[in-house]
Amino acid sequence: MKAHFTIELENILQRIRIQGTRVAEAIESALSSFREGDTERAEEVIRADKFIDQEEIRIEEECLKLLALYQPVATDLRTLISVLKINTSLERMADFGCHMAERSLHTANLPQPPPDAIFDFAPMQKTVLSMIHDTLTVISRSDVDLAYSVIARDNTVDAMRREHRARAKTALHQHPDHADYFLECHGLARDLERAADLSTDICEHIIYMRTARIIRHQEEP
C-alpha cells in the first residue's frame, strides 16, 4: 500500500511541476504582450487559462482520492495538504496572468501617452519573474533555503507596487486624456504584486511540507 501511495503521490508532484511551468510561461507571455502590444499572444494566454483551470481540478481530485484511499498520516498527510494548497495558488497565479493579458488587449487600442509618461515595468517584472522561477525550483527540489529567499523578495515587490501607484496618481493629473492607460498600468502592477504574493504562499507551503513549521504571518528568520 505504501509503495502504491508513493508512486501516485510522485505522479501528482510531477503534474504540479508541469502546471507551474505552464503558469510561469503564461505570465511571461502576458507581460510580453503588454509591453509589445501583441494582442495575438494575449489571446493565447487567455485561451490557455482554461486548460490550467481544468488541470487544477484534476489534480485536486487526485489528491482527494489519495486521502480517501490511503488515509495518510504524518509527513505524507502534510505533503498532500501542501500540494492541495500549492495547486490552488498556481491556478490563482494563472488568473492574474490572464488579467494581465486582458489589460494588454485593452491598452493595445489606446493612444500612447508621451514617452516620458510610459510606465517601465522592467525592474518589477524582473523581480517577480525571478520569484516565480525560483518558486518552481523550490517545488521541484523542496529547497527550503531558496524558499526563504523568495519570501524575502516580496517586500521589494510591495515597494515597487507602491511606487507605481504613486506614479499613476501623478500621471492622471498631468495627462488626464490618457487616464485609461494609467489605470491599466496601475492594475498591472497590482497583478504582478499578487503573483509575487502567491509565490510567497507556495514557498510557505513547501517550508511547512518539509519542516512542519507554519510561518504564515511571521517574520522570516
Side-chain angles (χ1 to χ4, degrees), residues 16 20 23 82 85-91 93 132 135-136 138-139 147 150-151 195-209:
I16 284 286
V23 172
S82 299
K85 292 182 176 181
I86 291 167
N87 185 42
T88 300
S89 294
L90 286 172
E91 189 275 330
M93 193 185 293
I132 293 172
T135 297
L136 297 183
V138 170
I139 292 172
V150 172
I151 292 167
D197 287 343
L198 289 163
S199 288
T200 297
D201 290 347
I202 290 170
C203 288
E204 289 174 347
H205 298 323
I206 293 292
I207 291 169
Y208 170 71
M209 184 177 77

Side-chain angles (χ1 to χ4, degrees), residues 142-153:
S142 296
D143 188 330
V144 171
D145 290 336
L146 185 58
Y148 278 115
S149 171
V150 172
I151 292 167
R153 277 171 261 170

Side-chain angles (χ1 to χ4, degrees), residues 26-169:
I27 290 177
E28 289 189 50
S29 292
L31 289 168
S32 295
S33 70
F34 188 92
R35 183 177 61 251
E36 300 165 10
D38 189 339
T39 57
E40 184 175 340
R41 180 175 288 187
E43 289 169 350
E44 288 175 359
V45 172
I46 293 168
R47 286 194 297 270
D49 189 60
K50 294 179 181 178
F51 180 84
I52 291 173
D53 289 344
Q54 293 167 354
E55 180 67 357
E56 186 256 343
I57 292 171
R58 287 191 288 263
I59 291 173
E60 180 178 311
E61 289 174 342
E62 288 299 311
C63 288
L64 295 176
K65 184 181 77 173
L66 289 191
L67 282 169
L69 285 177
Y70 298 101
Q71 299 180 355
V73 297
T75 302
D76 291 336
L77 178 59
R78 198 165 66 236
T79 299
L80 264 182
I81 290 171
S82 299
V83 168
L84 277 166
K85 292 182 176 181
I86 291 167
N87 185 42
T88 300
S89 294
L90 286 172
E91 189 275 330
R92 290 177 61 203
M93 193 185 293
D95 285 345
F96 285 105
C98 202
H99 293 171
M100 296 176 202
E102 289 167 353
R103 296 186 195 284
S104 301
L105 294 178
H106 189 198
T107 56
N109 298 316
L110 295 175
Q112 288 289 296
D116 63 342
I118 293 176
F119 273 54
D120 179 15
F121 285 102
M124 189 175 190
Q125 173 181 319
K126 181 179 179 181
T127 303
V128 173
L129 288 178
S130 76
M131 290 177 69
I132 293 172
H133 285 294
D134 283 349
T135 297
L136 297 183
T137 301
V138 170
I139 292 172
S140 178
R141 301 178 185 173
S142 296
D143 188 330
V144 171
D145 290 336
L146 185 58
Y148 278 115
S149 171
V150 172
I151 292 167
R153 277 171 261 170
D154 192 52
N155 288 335
T156 300
V157 175
D158 291 343
M160 289 176 172
R161 191 259 172 113
R162 288 192 293 271
E163 290 173 5
H164 280 301
R165 180 183 179 185
R167 186 179 176 194
K169 290 174 70 175

